Coordinates of all heavy atoms in Angstrom, one line a residue:
L1 N -28.4 -111.8 194.0 CA -29.8 -112.0 194.0 C -30.3 -112.5 195.4 O -31.5 -112.2 195.8 CB -30.1 -113.1 193.0 CG -30.0 -112.7 191.5 CD1 -30.1 -113.9 190.5 CD2 -31.2 -111.7 191.2
L2 N -29.5 -113.3 196.1 CA -29.8 -113.8 197.4 C -30.0 -112.6 198.4 O -30.9 -112.5 199.2 CB -28.8 -114.8 197.9 CG -29.0 -115.3 199.4 CD1 -30.4 -116.1 199.5 CD2 -27.9 -116.2 199.8
L3 N -29.0 -111.6 198.3 CA -29.2 -110.4 199.1 C -30.4 -109.6 198.8 O -31.1 -109.1 199.7 CB -28.0 -109.5 198.9 CG -26.6 -110.1 199.4 CD1 -25.5 -109.0 199.2 CD2 -26.7 -110.3 201.0
S4 N -30.7 -109.5 197.5 CA -32.0 -108.8 197.1 C -33.2 -109.5 197.8 O -34.2 -108.8 198.2 CB -32.1 -108.7 195.6 OG -33.3 -108.2 195.2
H5 N -33.2 -110.8 197.7 CA -34.3 -111.6 198.3 C -34.5 -111.3 199.8 O -35.5 -111.2 200.4 CB -34.2 -113.1 198.0 CG -35.2 -113.9 198.7 ND1 -36.5 -114.0 198.4 CD2 -35.1 -114.8 199.8 CE1 -37.2 -114.8 199.2 NE2 -36.2 -115.3 200.0
L6 N -33.3 -111.3 200.5 CA -33.3 -111.1 201.9 C -33.8 -109.7 202.3 O -34.6 -109.5 203.2 CB -31.9 -111.3 202.5 CG -31.4 -112.7 202.5 CD1 -29.9 -112.8 203.1 CD2 -32.3 -113.7 203.2
M7 N -33.4 -108.6 201.5 CA -33.9 -107.3 201.7 C -35.4 -107.3 201.5 O -36.1 -106.5 202.2 CB -33.2 -106.3 200.7 CG -31.8 -106.1 201.0 SD -31.0 -105.1 199.7 CE -32.0 -103.6 199.9
N8 N -36.0 -107.9 200.6 CA -37.4 -108.0 200.3 C -38.1 -108.7 201.5 O -39.2 -108.3 201.8 CB -37.7 -108.7 199.0 CG -39.1 -108.8 198.7 OD1 -39.9 -107.8 198.9 ND2 -39.7 -110.0 198.3
T9 N -37.4 -109.7 202.1 CA -38.1 -110.3 203.2 C -38.1 -109.4 204.5 O -39.1 -109.4 205.2 CB -37.2 -111.6 203.5 OG1 -37.2 -112.5 202.3 CG2 -37.9 -112.4 204.7
N10 N -37.0 -108.7 204.7 CA -36.9 -107.8 205.8 C -37.8 -106.6 205.7 O -38.4 -106.1 206.7 CB -35.4 -107.4 206.1 CG -34.5 -108.6 206.4 OD1 -35.1 -109.5 207.0 ND2 -33.3 -108.5 206.2
T11 N -37.9 -106.0 204.6 CA -38.7 -104.8 204.3 C -39.6 -105.1 203.1 O -39.4 -104.7 202.0 CB -37.9 -103.6 204.0 OG1 -37.0 -103.9 202.8 CG2 -37.0 -103.2 205.2
P12 N -40.7 -105.8 203.4 CA -41.6 -106.3 202.3 C -42.5 -105.2 201.7 O -43.1 -105.3 200.7 CB -42.5 -107.4 202.9 CG -42.5 -107.0 204.4 CD -41.2 -106.4 204.7
T13 N -42.5 -104.0 202.4 CA -43.4 -102.9 201.9 C -42.6 -101.7 201.8 O -41.5 -101.5 202.3 CB -44.5 -102.6 202.9 OG1 -44.0 -102.3 204.2 CG2 -45.4 -103.9 203.1
I14 N -43.1 -100.7 201.0 CA -42.4 -99.5 200.7 C -43.6 -98.4 200.6 O -44.6 -98.7 200.1 CB -41.6 -99.5 199.4 CG1 -40.8 -98.3 199.2 CG2 -42.5 -99.9 198.1 CD1 -39.9 -98.3 198.1
L15 N -43.2 -97.2 201.0 CA -44.1 -96.0 200.9 C -43.5 -94.9 200.2 O -42.4 -94.5 200.5 CB -44.5 -95.6 202.3 CG -45.7 -94.4 202.4 CD1 -46.9 -95.0 202.0 CD2 -45.6 -94.0 203.9
Y16 N -44.1 -94.5 199.1 CA -43.5 -93.5 198.3 C -44.6 -92.5 197.8 O -45.8 -92.7 197.9 CB -42.8 -94.0 197.1 CG -43.6 -94.9 196.1 CD1 -44.3 -94.3 195.1 CD2 -43.7 -96.3 196.3 CE1 -45.0 -95.0 194.2 CE2 -44.6 -97.1 195.4 CZ -45.1 -96.4 194.4 OH -45.9 -97.1 193.6
T17 N -44.2 -91.4 197.3 CA -45.1 -90.3 197.0 C -45.6 -90.5 195.5 O -44.8 -90.8 194.6 CB -44.4 -88.9 196.9 OG1 -43.9 -88.6 198.2 CG2 -45.4 -87.8 196.5
E18 N -46.9 -90.7 195.5 CA -47.6 -90.9 194.2 C -47.9 -89.6 193.4 O -47.8 -89.5 192.3 CB -48.9 -91.7 194.5 CG -49.6 -92.0 193.2 CD -50.9 -92.8 193.4 OE1 -50.8 -94.0 193.8 OE2 -52.0 -92.3 193.3
S19 N -48.4 -88.6 194.3 CA -48.8 -87.3 193.6 C -48.6 -86.2 194.7 O -48.9 -86.5 195.9 CB -50.1 -87.4 193.0 OG -50.5 -86.2 192.6
T20 N -48.2 -85.1 194.3 CA -48.2 -83.9 195.1 C -49.3 -82.9 194.7 O -49.4 -81.8 195.2 CB -46.9 -83.2 195.1 OG1 -46.5 -82.8 193.7 CG2 -45.8 -84.0 195.7
Q21 N -50.2 -83.3 193.7 CA -51.2 -82.4 193.2 C -52.5 -83.2 193.3 O -53.4 -83.1 192.5 CB -50.9 -82.1 191.7 CG -49.7 -81.3 191.5 CD -49.7 -80.0 192.2 OE1 -50.7 -79.3 192.1 NE2 -48.6 -79.6 192.9
F22 N -52.7 -83.9 194.4 CA -54.0 -84.6 194.6 C -55.0 -83.7 195.1 O -54.8 -82.9 196.0 CB -53.8 -85.8 195.6 CG -55.0 -86.7 195.7 CD1 -55.2 -87.6 194.7 CD2 -55.8 -86.6 196.8 CE1 -56.3 -88.5 194.7 CE2 -56.9 -87.5 196.9 CZ -57.2 -88.4 195.9
P23 N -56.2 -83.6 194.6 CA -57.2 -82.6 194.9 C -57.7 -82.8 196.3 O -58.1 -84.0 196.7 CB -58.3 -82.7 193.9 CG -58.2 -84.1 193.3 CD -56.7 -84.4 193.4
T24 N -57.8 -81.8 197.1 CA -58.3 -81.9 198.5 C -59.8 -82.1 198.6 O -60.2 -82.6 199.7 CB -57.9 -80.6 199.3 OG1 -58.4 -79.5 198.7 CG2 -56.4 -80.4 199.4
W25 N -60.5 -81.8 197.6 CA -62.0 -82.0 197.7 C -62.4 -83.5 197.6 O -63.5 -83.8 197.9 CB -62.7 -81.2 196.6 CG -62.3 -81.5 195.2 CD1 -62.7 -82.6 194.5 CD2 -61.4 -80.8 194.4 NE1 -62.1 -82.5 193.2 CE2 -61.3 -81.4 193.2 CE3 -60.6 -79.6 194.6 CZ2 -60.4 -80.9 192.1 CZ3 -59.8 -79.2 193.6 CH2 -59.7 -79.8 192.4
I26 N -61.4 -84.3 197.4 CA -61.6 -85.8 197.4 C -61.4 -86.3 198.8 O -61.9 -87.4 199.1 CB -60.8 -86.5 196.4 CG1 -61.1 -86.0 195.0 CG2 -61.0 -88.1 196.4 CD1 -60.4 -86.6 193.9
I27 N -60.6 -85.6 199.6 CA -60.2 -86.2 201.0 C -61.3 -85.5 201.9 O -61.6 -84.3 202.0 CB -58.8 -85.6 201.3 CG1 -57.8 -86.0 200.3 CG2 -58.4 -86.1 202.7 CD1 -56.4 -85.5 200.6
P28 N -61.9 -86.4 202.8 CA -62.8 -85.9 203.8 C -62.3 -84.9 204.7 O -61.1 -84.9 205.1 CB -63.3 -87.2 204.5 CG -62.8 -88.3 203.6 CD -61.6 -87.9 202.9
F29 N -63.1 -83.9 205.1 CA -62.8 -82.9 206.0 C -62.6 -83.5 207.4 O -63.4 -84.4 207.8 CB -63.8 -81.8 206.1 CG -63.3 -80.5 206.6 CD1 -62.5 -79.7 205.9 CD2 -63.6 -80.2 208.0 CE1 -62.0 -78.5 206.3 CE2 -63.1 -79.0 208.4 CZ -62.4 -78.1 207.7
P30 N -61.6 -83.1 208.2 CA -61.4 -83.8 209.5 C -62.4 -83.4 210.5 O -63.2 -82.4 210.3 CB -60.0 -83.3 209.9 CG -59.9 -82.0 209.2 CD -60.5 -82.1 208.0
A31 N -62.4 -84.1 211.7 CA -63.3 -83.7 212.7 C -62.6 -82.6 213.5 O -61.5 -82.7 213.8 CB -63.6 -85.0 213.6
V32 N -63.4 -81.6 213.8 CA -62.9 -80.5 214.6 C -63.7 -80.5 216.0 O -64.8 -80.3 216.1 CB -63.3 -79.1 214.0 CG1 -62.7 -77.9 214.8 CG2 -62.7 -79.1 212.5
T33 N -62.9 -80.8 217.0 CA -63.4 -81.0 218.4 C -62.9 -79.8 219.2 O -61.8 -79.6 219.4 CB -62.9 -82.3 219.0 OG1 -63.2 -83.4 218.2 CG2 -63.5 -82.5 220.4
I34 N -63.9 -79.2 219.9 CA -63.7 -78.0 220.7 C -64.0 -78.4 222.1 O -65.1 -78.8 222.5 CB -64.5 -76.8 220.3 CG1 -64.3 -76.5 218.8 CG2 -64.3 -75.6 221.2 CD1 -65.1 -75.4 218.3
C35 N -63.0 -78.3 223.0 CA -63.2 -78.6 224.5 C -62.9 -77.3 225.3 O -61.9 -76.6 225.1 CB -62.2 -79.7 224.9 SG -62.4 -81.3 224.1
N36 N -63.8 -77.1 226.2 CA -63.7 -76.0 227.1 C -62.7 -76.2 228.2 O -62.6 -77.2 228.8 CB -65.1 -75.7 227.7 CG -65.1 -74.2 228.2 OD1 -64.2 -73.6 228.5 ND2 -66.4 -73.7 228.3
M37 N -61.8 -75.2 228.5 CA -61.0 -75.4 229.5 C -61.6 -75.5 230.9 O -61.1 -76.1 231.8 CB -60.0 -74.1 229.6 CG -59.0 -74.1 228.5 SD -57.7 -75.4 228.7 CE -56.5 -74.8 227.4
N38 N -62.9 -74.9 230.9 CA -63.6 -74.9 232.2 C -64.2 -76.3 232.3 O -65.1 -76.8 231.5 CB -64.7 -73.9 232.1 CG -65.5 -73.9 233.4 OD1 -65.0 -74.2 234.4 ND2 -66.7 -73.3 233.3
L39 N -63.8 -77.1 233.3 CA -64.3 -78.4 233.5 C -65.7 -78.5 234.2 O -66.4 -79.5 234.1 CB -63.4 -79.3 234.2 CG -62.0 -79.4 233.6 CD1 -61.0 -80.3 234.5 CD2 -62.1 -80.0 232.2
M40 N -66.0 -77.5 235.0 CA -67.3 -77.4 235.7 C -67.9 -76.0 235.6 O -67.2 -74.9 235.8 CB -67.0 -77.7 237.2 CG -66.5 -79.0 237.6 SD -66.3 -79.4 239.3 CE -65.7 -81.0 239.3
S41 N -69.1 -76.1 235.3 CA -69.9 -74.8 235.2 C -70.3 -74.2 236.6 O -70.9 -75.0 237.5 CB -71.2 -74.9 234.4 OG -72.0 -73.9 234.4
K42 N -69.9 -73.0 236.9 CA -70.2 -72.4 238.2 C -71.8 -72.4 238.4 O -72.2 -72.8 239.6 CB -69.8 -71.0 238.3 CG -70.0 -70.3 239.6 CD -69.5 -68.8 239.6 CE -68.0 -68.7 239.4 NZ -67.5 -67.4 239.5
T43 N -72.6 -72.1 237.4 CA -74.0 -72.1 237.6 C -74.5 -73.5 237.9 O -75.3 -73.6 238.9 CB -74.7 -71.6 236.3 OG1 -74.1 -70.3 236.0 CG2 -76.2 -71.5 236.5
K44 N -74.1 -74.5 237.2 CA -74.5 -75.9 237.4 C -74.0 -76.4 238.8 O -74.8 -77.1 239.5 CB -74.1 -76.8 236.3 CG -74.8 -76.5 235.0 CD -74.3 -77.5 233.9 CE -75.1 -77.3 232.6 NZ -74.7 -78.3 231.6
V45 N -72.9 -76.0 239.2 CA -72.3 -76.4 240.5 C -73.2 -75.9 241.6 O -73.5 -76.6 242.6 CB -70.9 -76.1 240.6 CG1 -70.4 -76.2 242.0 CG2 -69.9 -76.9 239.7
N46 N -73.5 -74.6 241.5 CA -74.4 -74.0 242.6 C -75.7 -74.7 242.6 O -76.3 -74.9 243.7 CB -74.5 -72.5 242.3 CG -73.2 -71.8 242.5 OD1 -72.4 -72.2 243.4 ND2 -73.0 -70.7 241.8
I47 N -76.3 -75.0 241.5 CA -77.7 -75.6 241.4 C -77.5 -77.0 242.0 O -78.5 -77.4 242.8 CB -78.2 -75.7 240.0 CG1 -78.4 -74.2 239.5 CG2 -79.4 -76.5 239.9 CD1 -78.8 -74.2 238.0
M48 N -76.5 -77.7 241.7 CA -76.3 -79.1 242.2 C -76.0 -79.1 243.7 O -76.5 -79.9 244.5 CB -75.2 -79.8 241.4 CG -75.1 -81.3 241.8 SD -76.6 -82.3 241.3 CE -76.6 -82.0 239.5

């Protein structure tokens, strides 16, 4: 019982699978960020 208590003290939390059939329409859609490889516009650079 003492060992069990020490284990609970060292690892007080646990993560386990609750469901593998959770509907995705309840989970918010992620952010989709699009970055151009081009860091400087040739047209804007010439104007500047």
Side-chain angles (χ1 to χ4, degrees):
L1 284 173
L2 179 61
L3 290 180
S4 176
H5 173 71
L6 294 178
M7 290 176 61
N8 180 44
T9 303
N10 294 331
T11 56
T13 59
I14 185 173
L15 186 67
Y16 59 91
T17 302
E18 180 181 291
S19 174
T20 58
Q21 300 296 315
F22 189 75
T24 55
W25 56 82
I26 300 180
I27 303 176
F29 201 78
V32 181
T33 304
I34 301 173
C35 297
N36 200 336
M37 288 287 190
N38 183 23
L39 301 178
M40 294 184 182
S41 170
K42 182 185 293 187
T43 304
K44 292 186 176 182
V45 166
N46 290 329
I47 294 175
M48 190 61 63

